[in-house]
Amino acid sequence: MAEIIQKDGTWVFDGDALRLTPGRDKNVSLLRRELGELLVPLAALAGISFEQGKKSGRLRLRLRDGADPLLHAAGGRLTEPHDPYQLLVESDRYGVAEYFVDEVRNALLLDQVPSGPVDAYLLPGPPVPLSVSAGDGVASFDGERVRLEWKWQAEDAKSAAGPRTLPLADIVAVEWQPTVGLENGHLRFTVRAAPSKVPPKYDPNAVELWGFKKDPLMALVAAAVQARLPHPAARAALEDARAGEDTSTPAPAPRAPAPAPAAEDDHDALLRRLRELGDLHRSGVLTDEEFTLAKQAVLKRM
């Protein structure tokens, strides 16, 4: 097991999953505190890195595309203070951070976890029900429907129609956009058969965000809804199937796969060697020092 404890949070790796717990320091963002503890299965990881700085460093997890509904709904727009997959590391813990990275990377190698996209969410998304008040409205989600209520600051185009209820079955997509510079952010729902082209300020299916402290919490609503919508990979497969039904041109015959290079066989042999070393270490045949030296030798050949 590998563990690193910092003011920014605590990360623990048990060989199968990473447990990410946000810290209680005042500098930890409101979004991370509200999101709470995350359990990230090893299969959801595409990689891990550690970046050193003069005063502090940063651990970063890279998740496989489509593994987390929060990252998908945010579209890569979560900045460093709000990203739950980054951890600020103090300079006197650089050695611990590097050891943590080595342990996770070795596990990815041993389990042969691919780095490509997945076809189903591997994290559940935020629990429901939840309700967030920010910008010109309040967004609530109970797992089956979204309810949008308007504050007095909302435009007449929204407030005149009163609260808005959107059944999950009618929602096609959800998007969270943070405020950047002079451009306001938003939480927008695309509704079936009624795509909106108006700005979020006037869109009854969108909450406009102005860059205040609670704005990032709207990403939690977006993630909770996204987790219950069809996965993007499933949607893409359905669209491809429909497109195939509409054409009379037969699909070209698949090409036979090219023979794997000899280097691939060497790579597989090295992975088997790593597993054997792990078994020998666990059974007590190899000491900790002997196991570390042998493992480093194999990894260098890879």
Side-chain angles (χ1 to χ4, degrees), residues 205-249:
N205 297 323
V207 176
E208 187 182 37
L209 305 174
W210 302 317
F212 296 134
K213 183 178 180 180
K214 290 187 177 182
D215 282 10
L217 295 182
M218 282 293 182
L220 300 182
V221 179
V225 174
Q226 185 66 57
R228 289 160 178 81
L229 295 178
H231 191 273
R235 188 182 302 119
L238 179 60
E239 291 174 355
D240 290 343
R242 289 174 177 172
E245 293 173 356
D246 294 339
T247 178
S248 58
T249 305

Side-chain angles (χ1 to χ4, degrees), residues 81-92:
H82 310 299
D83 188 345
Y85 303 114
Q86 298 188 32
L87 182 70
L88 198 64
V89 179
E90 298 168 5
S91 58
D92 61 347

Side-chain angles (χ1 to χ4, degrees), residues 97-154:
E98 291 171 347
Y99 171 77
F100 192 94
V101 168
D102 286 343
E103 289 296 299
V104 175
R105 285 178 176 171
N106 290 342
L108 290 171
L109 280 172
L110 289 171
D111 287 10
Q112 300 185 53
V113 177
S115 60
V118 297
D119 56 7
Y121 292 122
L122 301 181
L123 281 88
V128 293
L130 76 163
S131 181
V132 177
S133 174
D136 65 355
V138 179
S140 304
F141 180 53
D142 61 4
E144 296 181 356
R145 60 188 61 81
V146 172
R147 181 175 174 83
L148 303 177
E149 302 174 74
W150 310 115
K151 299 180 182 179
W152 65 268
Q153 300 98 324

Side-chain angles (χ1 to χ4, degrees), residues 49-59 89 91 93-95 97-98:
S49 63
F50 176 58
E51 304 165 2
Q52 292 189 16
K54 292 183 178 180
K55 295 183 178 180
S56 62
R58 193 174 293 274
L59 272 171
V89 179
S91 58
R93 289 295 181 270
Y94 283 0
E98 291 171 347

